[in-house]
Amino acid sequence: MRKILFIILVMAAAILQAKENRWLVNGNHSVQWETSKGELPYNDHIEMSGLRASVVYYWGVDGGRRFSMDRHLVFPMLRTIPNNTHASWMPRCDVDFLKGMTANKRAMSPQQVKVVTIDGILNVSGIVKGDGNDFELMCQFFPSTSKTAVCEKYTIKNIGQKKETVLVPALRWARTTNKQDGTRGSYCLLARTEFEEDFKATLEPGESTSFYCSIQAFALADEREIALDVEQELANRKAYVDEVTMKKLQFRCPDNTIQTLFEMSKIRASESIFHTQNGLMHAPGGESYYAAMWCNDQAEYVNPFFPFLGYDKGNESAMTTWRCYLKLINPEYKFVPWSIICGGDDVFGPFDRGDAAMLAYGASRYCLERGERDIAQQVWPLIEWCLEYCHRRINQNGVVASEGDELEHRLPSGDANLCTSSLYYDALISSAYLAEELGRGKQEAATYRKQAAELRQNIDKFFHATVEGYDTYRYYEGNDVLRSWICIPLTMGIYDRAQGTLQAMFSPQLWTENGMLSQSGDKIFWDRSTLYGFRGAFAAGYADKALEYLKKFSTFRLLGEHVPYVVEAWPEGGQRHLSAESGLYCRIVTEGLLGFRPTGFRSFTLTPQMPTEWNEYSLSNIYACTDQPINISVQRSNGGKLLVKVEKNGKTIKTYKVKPGETVRINAR
């Protein structure tokens, strides 16, 4: 009887979980929602980007399963006046390309949505009715990968019993802005069907046809309408998605949700790269931040991810970051600005957020992972300047002073915060390895390591505190409530207060279904600190606890009500899909679970962890610290040890048996 009762409870729990998850995993990098599941109406938004256009699709399904769409378009190089951080032209367009569609000259009903699928493309499938006959309608929404346009493909299939003639009215709708509102004069937004006369197709039962629409933008003074092959644009978008999901840095593990969110995160992390007059620039997005780069989002969060992925446009955008910031270093050691904006023609940042520490941390890791001497030599002056800047900012307590942190005074951070010193500490360690690779002498590397050792002691001495009953860190002097950024020492290899910090991170004071609150007693959350927290929890050896909460968080982000990526924040920004956060999600695996740390152009250490409920996982096509992609697999072995295999060119080059949390050194030449 007890066994039967247990089975019933397990089944009931499974049913409850299924009801909680509106979406389901639908493949390697795809999620799907059947509109028969979950309450209606339902509304969501998702951002997608190409080199010259981005779009946030605000879409919904009402109580009658009717679909609605409002496109918030962004054109980063059509600048508005005043030309500041937020000056990308961002028009809205709710044109209904299906309006007036008929079957046998009779109006067709609005689409009754049955299934929505997201796989790098927003796919909406449902039924329309006309003249007593049913049709299946598939709508696909996506940005062009290279043009200043977004595209749509519609496929209609006759699933009725009689022949039908379907007609779609030709549409051409244009809007022109005032000349004085744009840096390049008037801009035109053009929404059109790709047929200039009404589209007509006679369909036998079972036959289908497709038609295409687009929305493009251009400056009237020096540009004209371009011809678009939407089918080719769709193929280009699919090719991009396949490249970053199927061919580069593939993660396989027993948890399908985590694996799928990892694969989908690569799409969002890599697509938000824009063509500018100063080269390719990765940008956060979110209907606010385009043709611009930040010391945290780009330099710290996502640039160190691109060498792992081996995505050429990602690496090119990272080099744009370093080149642009190289122009801003100065002999007076005045702080560098937070961001480079307007395609590289302006900057913003009225005070020091610890940006030099962010730059040094990201750039030193990037150069080691990229593994190219000429690249490192180009970037080294920036790293060296940032390290010296931070060294000059060491205060009487032996930690790095800064006027703020990456939250820019949204929350207090005192005169010296835990983030800035932790980032500088890790930058010193990476820079020591890099100095050795560049042949700068043992003394320089030794100096950086000595400074790092002293800083580590001072971090513990100054920031270690009992906060709300937990043996962890205060974020700044005088801080007496838990802050989510107490996790950051764990991601930098500082585990002195790991146990108490983990208890605090996953405590009722901080943890919610949206991850950690930014500080206890508040409602604000920023995914970035939660993602750092997961990475640190795995790296510190708390794999079971990390996995327990990562599963919950990943399920909520991938399969809940707002999908399919991690987000920036709430309430600020309304949980917009900023891009670099998705790179941080992937780094939970590469640097947290696998414990990959670069130590040279062709060398690295691994400190793999294995949750109790897993027996294996793997990463294939890793491009960091190697001239050819490598594969790394980790399997549970006899005696509680882990079998670690490193493969290159189809051959096993290294095999290790280690305890979980034991570090191995690998030369990938």
Side-chain angles (χ1 to χ4, degrees), residues 282-294:
H282 190 283
E287 298 179 80
S288 289
Y289 313 112
Y290 300 87
M293 306 171 292
W294 273 254

Side-chain angles (χ1 to χ4, degrees), residues 486-501:
I486 57 175
C487 67
I488 197 165
L490 304 180
T491 63
M492 307 302 161
I494 302 174
Y495 307 133
D496 304 329
R497 309 297 169 187
Q499 183 175 357
T501 298

